[in-house]
Amino acid sequence: MVIIAIAAWAGPLQGVLLAAEPLTPIGEVRLMSLEETAKALPIRIRGVVTWWNGHDNLTVQDDSGGIWVDFVQARDRDVWRGDDSVLDNAVEGMEIEVEGRIDPGGYAPMILPSTLRILTAQPLPRAAPMVPSRFFSGADDCQRIEVSAVVQRFYPQGDWVILVLDANPGRFTAQVSHAVATDPAALVDAEVRLRGVAATRFNTRGEATGSRMFANVPGELVVTMPSPLPDAVPKVTLDRLLPFRAEVLGPHRVRVEGTVAYALPGKFLYVQDGINAVRVETTSSLALKPGDRVEVAGFVFMYRFIGSLRDATVRKTGAAGLPESVEISPGEVLALNQMAVETAQVAPHDYDGHLIRCRARLLAVESGLSGKAVRTLTLEQTGATKQDNLIFRAQLHEGKISSLDALQPGSELEVTGLVELEFAATEIDNEGPRTAPVNLGLILRSESDVRLLQEPSWWTAQHSMAVVATVLLALGGALLWNLQLKSQVRRKSVLLAQEINARRDAVMEFRTTMRERNRLAANLHDTLPQSMSGIGLQLDACEISLRKLGIGSLPPLEVARRMVEYAIGELRGAVWEMRSLSLRGRSFTAALQAVVDQAVNGHATRVAVSTEGPLERIPDVVSGNLLLIVQEALRNALQHGKPATIALAITTEGPGAPIRLDLRDDGSGFTPGRQNGPEQGHYGIVGMRERAERLGGSLQVESSPGHGTRIVAVVCRDADDNTMADEIALADPPIVNPCHES
């Protein structure tokens, strides 16, 4: 009783366990191996909530470290036993006590909570200064840190704001609440100090792939240097984005001017100024066309090992002449860049972002992945003096993209496009100081940048291969079809033999059963009823003798007489059931009505019988088994269901069609599968189903408590007809029953 009282009193404390685990410092959990955390050891921790997303997850930190508490997986794994309403109070700065079990998590150890108890409000733990080697390696996961960085970009994400920051060096994201970043647009290019919880992105191997921060508490983000005004952003020339400088410029924006060579709204554009060109990544939807003069402010980064700008703002300032294309082959562009590895910088320039014009042979036209509106031409350069086998690609992002689909492989083309140099994935193993491109691609401005010079000859190697492939495919198909036919004949032969044997066995079994039933019925009729009648006469004699002695009728004698009368009635019914299943020269419908009349004799249940279709000349094996199924179904319904009405319908569509028996009652019903069966001595449903299956058919029982019962049996009319072999041979495999309804 004491334990019950304590448990009831502890309810408002959100499910404190009576036998609580000792408190464990979080730092000890962080030091556990993967094998130890996989044991799902019970644990109890106490600490201050440092971040809470409002419904699913939170982080807790004590003096030894911080850890992730996952309510989603705790609910999914049936670990959480607490009251969800308590989570509304688990806000940042609240000291809580969590009891649950340790889990390896996807990256670092975490806790699957079973209960959570709110204690008192506490100051947030001190945020340690960010150490790049720890933060970007994931070692500070779930710890409060403080970082100074420049905001380079922001975008909304549901209830949060995502900030893209550069800690100089080191680019990462921060998920903050709107209360933390009240005006995110004003933060771009500003220097800020951000306090929050470090979190790690990881792959399916549990390896760190990136770092981010979470911050919800107002005041955790402080602007230490506001974003400069547009005119105050340093202005540089296109060739001075990332040159040698003795001073460090930091991760702030720079400003450039140039002429648009190509623009894809909302994605990127190329800006050219004299011999220099730069790629600019921007989400700006400003409508620009080649020849527009623009001013761009963006953050410098290395795209394809070439200085570029990202997260840029673009402002149109005027118009200029269209950049001219230069006739030069891709092989010559790569050769110039390769020569610069051994000498000085490439002269006059590296051609990246410049328009070139060249001849090439078309190898293939490819559509964009995932339905993107892009066409990619795979080309082989022609007419070059070096690298004659150079293969490169040209892409069209907009315009009449589908117009390129009409080009035939092997066509000779003149292609104009902006060069995008391609470098190897890594240069770590490069022994020299220079990085040179290994290939290039072209960006097509419109479909007019591709000009057909010469169509390919009609008969090509591809055509020859197509003809050979078609012939081989036809031969293979013929061989496969032959093998399938042989396999099908073998399979159908086996099924035919099985079907014939099963039908023969069913006929013989039925005839043998009928002879035995008739013999037993005759024996019973000639012996037991007479014996039972004799017992009744003796009981009458006993009663007369008692009356002569002056003794009245005794109750036991009266009970015995009624029992004898009941037994005689049951015996006569059993004898009738055993002998009444042969048609005896009657039609099937007449025999059916006789079975129904005998079954309902002495019952108040109304039975409606209907037949449809030609039911004459049914083989004895079929008619006899059908009458037995009807008899058993009626007996079950009357004995167990106590229905008011029963509807019995026997139908067939034609002389060779299956016969369908449908019996419905409005009795008490039952749950199929839960009724008494052979184990309890009840063989009714099992016997009916076996009879139907012996006739090549099936039996289904539908019922539910309070909604009556329906029995549907479908049997083959010609159950003993060996001409069924023709039907089996012509049916589609697999064949189970040639007369079964589909």
Side-chain angles (χ1 to χ4, degrees):
M1 295 299 293
V2 174
I3 294 177
I4 295 174
I6 292 175
W9 172 82
L13 296 181
Q14 287 76 42
V16 179
L17 297 182
L18 297 178
E21 293 291 328
L23 284 172
T24 301
I26 294 175
E28 292 184 9
V29 182
R30 290 171 59 85
L31 294 175
M32 289 183 179
S33 66
L34 182 63
E35 291 74 20
E36 290 177 307
T37 57
K39 295 178 181 178
L41 300 173
I43 190 173
R44 184 166 64 98
I45 64 166
R46 183 180 296 167
V48 178
V49 177
T50 52
W51 176 79
W52 166 233
N53 74 345
H55 47 84
D56 291 333
N57 303 294
L58 58 82
T59 55
V60 180
Q61 185 169 330
D62 62 11
D63 294 337
S64 63
I67 198 166
W68 188 273
V69 181
D70 195 321
F71 290 89
V72 175
Q73 295 197 43
R75 295 188 187 101
D76 291 344
R77 302 185 194 179
D78 201 25
V79 176
W80 174 245
R81 294 289 184 270
D83 183 358
D84 283 350
S85 63
V86 72
L87 303 181
D88 296 335
N89 298 320
V91 297
E92 291 85 352
M94 293 301 299
E95 185 180 23
I96 63 172
E97 189 173 292
V98 178
E99 196 156 354
R101 72 185 193 201
I102 302 173
D103 188 86
Y107 173 67
M110 68 180 187
I111 294 177
L112 302 183
S114 58
T115 62
L116 182 146
R117 186 160 66 102
I118 304 293
L119 300 177
T120 59
Q122 296 288 342
L124 287 172
R126 185 185 69 86
M130 185 193 79
V131 178
S133 60
R134 290 184 56 82
F135 175 69
F136 290 106
S137 68
D140 282 336
D141 187 70
C142 295
Q143 314 295 304
R144 267 182 60 80
I145 64 170
E146 177 180 292
V147 60
S148 295
V150 174
V151 178
Q152 294 189 341
R153 183 186 173 198
F154 79 94
Y155 56 90
Q157 190 179 77
D159 296 333
W160 315 97
V161 176
I162 305 300
L163 303 179
V164 181
L165 304 103
D166 193 324
N168 193 25
R171 204 165 189 251
F172 63 98
T173 62
Q175 176 182 304
V176 303
S177 65
H178 290 279
V180 172
T182 56
D183 186 8
L187 298 176
V188 177
D189 207 18
E191 293 185 13
V192 300
R193 183 177 67 248
L194 177 64
R195 296 189 185 96
V197 176
T200 308
R201 300 184 185 277
F202 46 88
N203 60 18
T204 54
R205 290 187 176 186
E207 300 167 333
T209 60
S211 296
R212 53 180 175 163
M213 288 180 66
F214 295 136
N216 283 352
V217 180
E220 293 283 77
L221 185 146
V222 178
V223 176
T224 57
M225 180 178 292
S227 174
L229 296 174
D231 291 341
V233 174
K235 189 173 183 180
V236 298
T237 56
L238 296 183
D239 63 337
R240 300 295 293 172
L241 293 184
L242 284 172
F244 168 75
R245 290 188 177 92
E247 75 284 0
V248 178
L249 291 182
H252 286 279
R253 286 185 293 192
V254 297
R255 188 161 46 106
V256 299
E257 280 188 315
T259 301
V260 175
Y262 174 76
L264 188 62
K267 294 184 178 180
F268 67 90
L269 66 146
Y270 272 89
V271 176
Q272 186 173 339
D273 189 21
I275 63 173
N276 301 302
V278 167
R279 181 185 173 103
V280 178
E281 304 281 345
T282 180
T283 59
S284 172
S285 58
L286 180 64
L288 297 171
K289 60 182 184 296
D292 287 341
R293 193 71 178 171
V294 294
E295 184 179 77
V296 177
F299 298 93
V300 180
F301 79 117
M302 295 297 291
Y303 176 74
R304 299 174 292 108
F305 292 96
I306 295 177
S308 306
L309 296 176
R310 66 182 168 192
D311 301 325
T313 60
V314 183
R315 183 171 65 92
K316 182 178 177 180
T317 59
L322 293 174
E324 295 290 336
S325 63
V326 177
E327 185 172 2
I328 186 172
S329 72
E332 291 172 328
V333 172
L334 295 178
L336 288 172
N337 279 273
Q338 189 63 41
M339 290 175 57
V341 173
E342 307 299 333
T343 59
Q345 294 182 3
V346 62
H349 49 74
D350 62 0
Y351 283 94
D352 188 79
H354 287 255
L355 275 173
I356 69 167
R357 185 175 68 258
C358 64
R359 294 171 62 96
R361 182 170 67 251
L362 178 65
L363 300 180
V365 179
E366 303 170 14
S367 300
L369 297 176
S370 303
K372 292 183 178 179
V374 176
R375 288 296 183 274
T376 301
L377 308 183
T378 301
L379 304 163
E380 183 178 19
Q381 88 168 14
T382 59
T385 57
K386 295 182 180 180
Q387 303 182 24
D388 291 334
N389 295 326
L390 178 65
I391 295 175
F392 63 101
R393 294 188 174 185
Q395 277 194 340
L396 178 62
H397 294 270
E398 59 182 352
K400 296 181 180 179
I401 294 175
S402 59
S403 64
L404 300 183
D405 296 338
L407 296 173
Q408 297 297 317
S411 301
E412 293 292 331
L413 308 175
E414 183 183 73
V415 182
T416 303
L418 278 82
V419 173
E420 280 195 325
L421 296 178
E422 298 175 2
F423 294 79
T426 177
E427 293 293 328
I428 294 177
D429 297 330
N430 190 355
E431 296 180 357
R434 300 295 180 92
T435 299
V438 296
N439 207 333
L440 60 78
L442 297 181
I443 298 177
L444 305 175
R445 299 167 299 174
S446 68
E447 66 280 1
S448 60
D449 278 344
V450 178
R451 188 163 66 92
L452 178 63
L453 300 179
Q454 182 178 343
E455 292 183 349
S457 61
W458 182 83
W459 188 257
T460 63
Q462 288 84 352
H463 288 127
S464 300
M465 292 299 296
V467 171
V468 173
T470 301
V471 173
L472 293 177
L473 184 62
L475 291 175
L479 179 60
L480 180 60
W481 178 249
N482 185 38
L483 293 175
Q484 288 180 341
L485 286 178
K486 290 182 178 180
S487 175
Q488 186 174 346
V489 169
R490 287 195 298 268
R491 184 168 61 255
K492 290 181 178 180
S493 298
V494 172
L495 291 173
L496 175 61
Q498 293 175 348
E499 186 71 20
I500 292 174
N501 291 335
R503 298 300 175 81
R504 183 185 300 112
D505 293 344
V507 172
M508 294 181 65
E509 179 183 357
F510 175 76
R511 291 171 179 170
T512 303
T513 300
M514 291 303 299
R515 287 196 297 269
E516 185 64 18
R517 286 170 64 95
N518 289 331
R519 185 186 67 80
L520 289 174
N523 290 341
L524 289 174
H525 182 270
D526 295 338
T527 56
L528 286 180
Q530 288 78 2
S531 299
M532 297 297 293
S533 298
I535 294 173
L537 292 174
Q538 293 299 319
L539 291 174
D540 292 339
C542 289
E543 185 176 5
I544 293 171
S545 298
L546 289 174
R547 290 176 180 172
K548 289 180 180 180
L549 296 174
I551 301 173
S553 178
L554 296 177
L557 286 177
E558 183 63 27
V559 172
R561 181 185 294 108
R562 288 199 299 269
M563 291 176 64
V564 169
E565 292 174 353
Y566 177 78
I568 292 174
E570 288 293 312
L571 184 58
R572 287 175 177 169
V575 170
W576 183 90
E577 288 179 355
M578 296 178 68
R579 301 193 61 182
S580 64
L581 301 180
S582 174
L583 298 183
R584 296 182 178 179
R586 296 175 295 179
S587 66
F588 174 76
T589 54
L592 174 66
Q593 189 62 51
V595 169
V596 173
D597 293 341
Q598 179 64 24
V600 299
N601 187 24
H603 295 273
T605 303
R606 291 182 292 103
V607 179
V609 180
S610 64
T611 59
E612 182 180 345
L615 294 172
E616 301 80 10
R617 302 177 64 183
I618 302 176
D620 287 347
V621 66
V622 178
S623 61
N625 276 289
L626 272 176
L627 293 175
L628 286 171
I629 293 173
V630 170
Q631 180 177 282
E632 183 63 29
L634 289 172
R635 190 188 69 81
N636 285 345
L638 295 169
Q639 182 176 348
H640 303 293
K642 310 297 183 184
T645 60
I646 297 176
L648 172 62
I650 297 183
T651 59
T652 183
E653 294 181 357
I659 300 175
R660 180 185 180 92
L661 183 155
D662 192 336
L663 186 145
R664 309 186 189 202
D665 68 66
D666 57 1
S668 58
F670 63 95
T671 301
R674 297 185 179 179
Q675 75 277 9
N676 292 332
E679 297 81 1
Q680 294 80 29
H682 296 269
Y683 296 88
I685 294 179
V686 173
M688 289 189 291
R689 179 171 285 112
E690 289 179 351
R691 290 185 187 280
E693 291 176 351
R694 288 194 197 102
L695 300 180
S698 63
L699 183 136
Q700 295 180 345
V701 179
E702 301 174 4
S703 184
S704 61
H707 295 85
T709 302
R710 181 185 184 187
I711 295 177
V712 177
V714 180
V715 301
C716 185
R717 183 188 191 101
D718 300 323
D720 57 350
D721 188 356
N722 288 338
T723 60
M724 194 65 65
D726 294 337
E727 296 182 34
I728 295 176
L730 295 175
D732 290 333
I735 302 172
V736 177
N737 171 24
C739 71
H740 196 289
E741 288 186 337
S742 60

